[in-house]
Amino acid sequence: MPTRGGRVRELLTFLVLAVLIWPFIAIGVVSGWGFLVWMYYAFTGPPGPV
């Protein structure tokens, strides 16, 4: 059975992950993907018929 201190620490860990860490990871992944696509098109040209 979890203790009161264990619950508080678990809640703080969840809040730190949900509010601080995961949004930065999500922004980093999306921006990294956008940068890769941008660099791919910079070297290969825009999509579509030429």
Side-chain angles (χ1 to χ4, degrees), residues 4-27:
R4 179 170 167 79
R7 286 185 185 170
V8 170
R9 185 173 43 208
E10 185 177 353
L11 179 63
L12 285 175
T13 303
F14 170 76
L15 287 175
V16 166
L17 284 172
V19 175
L20 297 177
I21 295 177
W22 283 113
F24 286 110
I25 291 175
I27 289 170

Side-chain angles (χ1 to χ4, degrees), residues 25 39 42 44:
I25 291 175
M39 288 303 292
T44 62

Side-chain angles (χ1 to χ4, degrees), residues 3 6 17 20 27 31 34 41-43 45 48:
T3 63
L17 284 172
L20 297 177
I27 289 170
S31 347
Y41 286 138
F43 287 113

